Amino acid sequence: DTGVSQDPRHKITKRGQNVTFRCDPISEHNRLYWYRQTLGQGPEFLTYFQNEAQLEKSRLLSDRFSAERPKGSFSTLEIQRTEQGDSAMYLCASSFDRNSPLHFGNGTRLTVT
Amino acid sequence: SQKIEQNSEALNIQEGKTATLTCNYTNYSPAYLQWYRQDPGRGPVFLLLIRENEKEKRKERLKVTFDTTLKQSLFHITASQPADSATYLCALETNDYKLSFGAGTTVTVRA
């Protein structure tokens, strides 16, 4: 069990650019989640996958955000035409099933200038 | 609307004392509630899960209670140590099978 890994750890980009983050979950975990966290707040749900199927996407998530989990393994989160308001920590988590605790990665910190 | 509220004030306590954190929720009927610890620049780490039919759960120096009538969970750190300094998050499963988090309470334990 190597834990959940996220790449990159930090990303600085200019407004209007596209960015993509990667998450490698714990290998036997079926569920994968993306959360966003800003300073002083708890993680905010973005989307989750059961294997390769994306089962829910937050209503707060604009169409600029898209996530994939091909073959039910790693996942990518893409943000198109980044805005300064997208600056946050993007956290990935995985779990074995619905009733299991989440295992989080250490996040990707995005700064949009 | 659904809300999860934790102590808004940071908690500063002396080493050896007990820290008590509160998590209140409205318009949820969760089957269970979880507590996580988060250190600066790191992802949350799972600590404890308590189910709706459990009143209390313990793990080493940690104790969690769950009162579904009051819609409240209390999280206790007994015999606190400086290494316990962190932000503690409570989380509930919402109707659509996702985990929603409170804003967290920051605890600082002074030596």
Side-chain angles (χ1 to χ4, degrees), chain B residues 19-38:
Chain B
T20 297
L21 284 62
T22 304
C23 177
N24 294 298
Y25 58 94
T26 56
N27 297 323
Y28 285 116
S29 296
Y32 56 81
L33 184 147
Q34 301 182 26
W35 284 88
Y36 289 75
R37 169 185 172 138
Q38 187 172 27

Side-chain angles (χ1 to χ4, degrees), chain B residues 76-95:
Chain B
H76 306 270
I77 308 171
T78 59
S80 60
Q81 303 169 359
D84 295 327
S85 299
T87 296
Y88 293 86
L89 301 158
C90 75
L92 307 176
E93 184 193 58
T94 58
N95 294 337

Side-chain angles (χ1 to χ4, degrees), chain A residues 19-70:
Chain A
V19 294
T20 301
F21 309 142
R22 177 180 171 122
C23 171
D24 286 274
I26 293 172
S27 57
E28 63 267 25
H29 284 184
N30 298 316
R31 288 191 154 210
L32 186 147
Y33 305 79
W34 285 98
Y35 283 81
R36 176 172 62 189
Q37 187 175 26
T38 53
L39 198 62
Q41 300 299 313
E44 176 189 28
F45 171 81
L46 295 179
T47 189
Y48 87 95
F49 293 82
Q50 172 79 33
N51 299 313
E52 67 274 11
Q54 187 173 17
L55 296 186
E56 186 178 339
K57 187 175 175 180
S58 169
R59 289 187 295 273
L60 302 175
L61 210 59
S62 83
D63 291 341
R64 297 183 298 104
F65 287 71
S66 62
E68 293 182 343
R69 192 184 182 195

Side-chain angles (χ1 to χ4, degrees), chain A residues 9 31 33 35 37 40-45 48 56 59 89 91 98-107 109, chain B residues 31-32 34 36 38 41-46 49 51 87 89 93-104:
Chain A
R9 289 281 281 128
R31 288 191 154 210
Y33 305 79
Y35 283 81
Q37 187 175 26
Q41 300 299 313
E44 176 189 28
F45 171 81
Y48 87 95
E56 186 178 339
R59 289 187 295 273
M89 175 77 87
L91 292 163
R98 172 190 170 184
N99 296 315
S100 301
L102 300 188
H103 294 254
F104 281 88
N106 284 324
R109 180 163 295 285
Chain B
Y32 56 81
Q34 301 182 26
Y36 289 75
Q38 187 172 27
R42 314 278 288 188
V45 174
F46 170 74
L49 181 152
R51 302 189 186 281
T87 296
L89 301 158
E93 184 193 58
T94 58
N95 294 337
D96 42 8
Y97 311 122
K98 68 176 186 279
L99 212 56
S100 296
F101 287 82

Side-chain angles (χ1 to χ4, degrees), chain A residues 78-97:
Chain A
E78 181 183 18
I79 309 174
Q80 296 182 326
R81 304 181 303 281
T82 53
E83 302 172 356
Q84 287 187 318
D86 296 331
S87 296
M89 175 77 87
Y90 289 84
L91 292 163
C92 175
S94 68
S95 69
F96 182 72
D97 59 25

